[in-house]
Amino acid sequence: MATRLDGKVVSKRILSELQQTVTGLAQQGVTPTLAVILVGSDPASQVYVRNKQRRAEEIGVRPLMFKLPEETSQKTLLAKVAELNQDPDVDGILVQLPLPKQLDERVVINAIDPDKDVDGFSPVSVGRLWTNEPTVVASTPYGIMALLDAYQIDVTGKRVVIVGRSNIVGRPLAGLMVNHDATVTIAHSKTRDLKALTREADILVVAIGVPHFIGADAVKPGATVIDVGISRGADGKLHGDVDADAVEPVAGALTPVPGGVGPMTIASLMAQTVELAKRRLHG
Ligand code: NDP
């Protein structure tokens, strides 16, 4: 049976360590501050933003929440970002995606000061990642690396196959894996003979949003399988991209859904907010 890579347990540990770090920073006069901008009323975004606020408060990070109306103009949003860029008390700025249609996501993300870009989505952050310079990286890939690290799963020299090439998961994870000396292949919807490829993976990461897409026949015996996907089924339950019941007897390690990558993502956002805050002291 595959080892369960428990993101709930690991993220709790990380958050409690962060809480201590935040206490130490507060004693030196720095309160890590995360500004979150939510435009409109997308129900899923509202839940994500509420969770981020709650986690931040739990560990002593100050959340600054800005809820702007659905019809907010690009100019208004950019003015808010510019104001937060200038605010010396703000360490990280996050614009919750997706944005309403009248707003250009790329322009808005590019407007965030790269040194406050806590989501790591800006081209500057992505460039730093791919040139292996210190940078903030997207929270989900960061969380996946932290989870592997917690279970002492070394990626050095391993064959890693990532299914999904989004800017928030697949691509940045590929950069991190390369920086950690893995041999990486990125697959996507146009990839031919995907199963043959995934079967070669020592570490298989699936981030496509198609429930139970990966079955036992797509997994090399003993492989580590990271299931990023989250879809709500007709049964109202959350499902991953991996058919966990089928894959568990084959894989060496597997992340559950829920309780795997999800909790690591939010802990990683907090970890990177705290890292940015530390720069106020150490430059
Ligand atoms: P996107 O929709 O942005 O990207 C999906 C990727 O999957 C694309 O690259 C697409 O290929 C590829 N893909 C889709 N179908 C197939 C297929 N049949 N075979 C191979 N590749 C395929 O998704 P996200 O990256 O934003 O999210 C992916 C999943 O991860 C979702 O379920 C999302 O909810 C979840 N997620 C979970 C997080 C967490 O914290 N646990 C955080 C972020 C996302 P192509 O590029 O060719 O279209």
Side-chain angles (χ1 to χ4, degrees):
M1 268 322 234
T3 303
R4 183 187 159 95
L5 304 178
D6 194 328
K8 245 183 173 169
V9 168
V10 175
S11 66
K12 261 197 191 139
R13 197 162 67 220
I14 290 172
L15 287 167
S16 110
E17 285 164 11
L18 282 173
Q19 190 171 21
Q20 290 174 26
T21 308
V22 171
T23 306
L25 284 170
Q27 282 161 359
Q28 297 173 81
V30 172
T31 302
T33 299
L34 172 64
V36 178
I37 304 175
L38 172 65
V39 187
S41 52
D42 176 64
S45 293
Q46 283 182 331
V47 173
Y48 295 146
V49 162
R50 207 179 309 132
N51 288 341
K52 287 168 189 173
Q53 179 176 11
R54 206 173 292 151
R55 281 293 165 278
E57 283 166 349
E58 276 167 17
I59 63 162
V61 166
R62 183 167 64 118
L64 283 183
M65 311 305 288
F66 300 96
K67 295 191 176 161
L68 307 181
E70 185 83 32
E71 62 278 8
T72 298
S73 70
Q74 180 112 326
K75 198 173 157 207
T76 305
L77 180 54
L78 290 175
K80 180 44 94 186
V81 170
E83 179 195 317
L84 295 168
N85 282 343
Q86 294 300 320
D87 187 337
D89 291 332
V90 169
D91 299 296
I93 303 170
L94 181 160
V95 177
Q96 185 67 44
L97 302 178
L99 289 172
K101 292 202 171 20
Q102 76 277 14
L103 301 169
D104 185 333
E105 257 173 40
R106 288 318 308 171
V107 173
V108 173
I109 298 299
N110 290 358
I112 299 172
D113 177 345
D115 292 326
K116 296 189 177 189
D117 170 32
V118 72
D119 258 338
F121 293 160
S122 79
V124 173
S125 305
V126 174
R128 285 176 181 161
L129 169 66
W130 281 98
T131 48
N132 202 6
E133 285 175 47
T135 185
V136 172
V137 289
S139 296
T140 302
Y142 183 102
I144 291 170
M145 300 306 286
L147 189 59
L148 291 171
D149 188 52
Y151 283 90
Q152 293 168 344
I153 298 173
D154 187 8
V155 306
T156 307
K158 298 265 175 70
R159 181 81 195 268
V160 176
V161 175
I162 302 168
V163 191
R165 57 175 163 180
S166 72
N167 288 333
I168 64 169
V169 187
R171 288 171 200 255
L173 180 63
L176 278 176
M177 287 285 186
V178 170
N179 291 347
H180 285 82
D181 299 326
T183 303
V184 183
T185 305
I186 307 183
H188 45 76
S189 68
K190 308 286 189 297
T191 299
R192 287 195 206 133
D193 203 1
L194 182 66
K195 222 178 263 182
L197 196 65
T198 59
R199 267 202 300 262
E200 288 177 10
D202 303 311
I203 299 175
L204 173 61
V205 184
V206 196
I208 61 175
V210 182
H212 298 188
F213 182 78
I214 294 289
D217 59 347
V219 174
K220 175 166 137 178
T224 295
V225 181
I226 306 291
D227 189 356
V228 185
I230 307 176
S231 312
R232 196 171 288 280
D235 55 2
K237 289 188 183 155
L238 295 179
H239 297 276
D241 290 345
V242 175
D243 182 350
D245 289 342
V247 167
E248 239 179 351
V250 181
L254 174 65
T255 58
V257 175
V261 174
M264 293 302 296
T265 295
I266 204 151
S268 300
L269 175 66
M270 296 307 142
Q272 297 193 99
T273 303
V274 172
E275 274 312 306
L276 290 175
K278 279 186 192 164
R279 293 189 197 169
R280 271 202 257 169
L281 287 176
H282 310 299

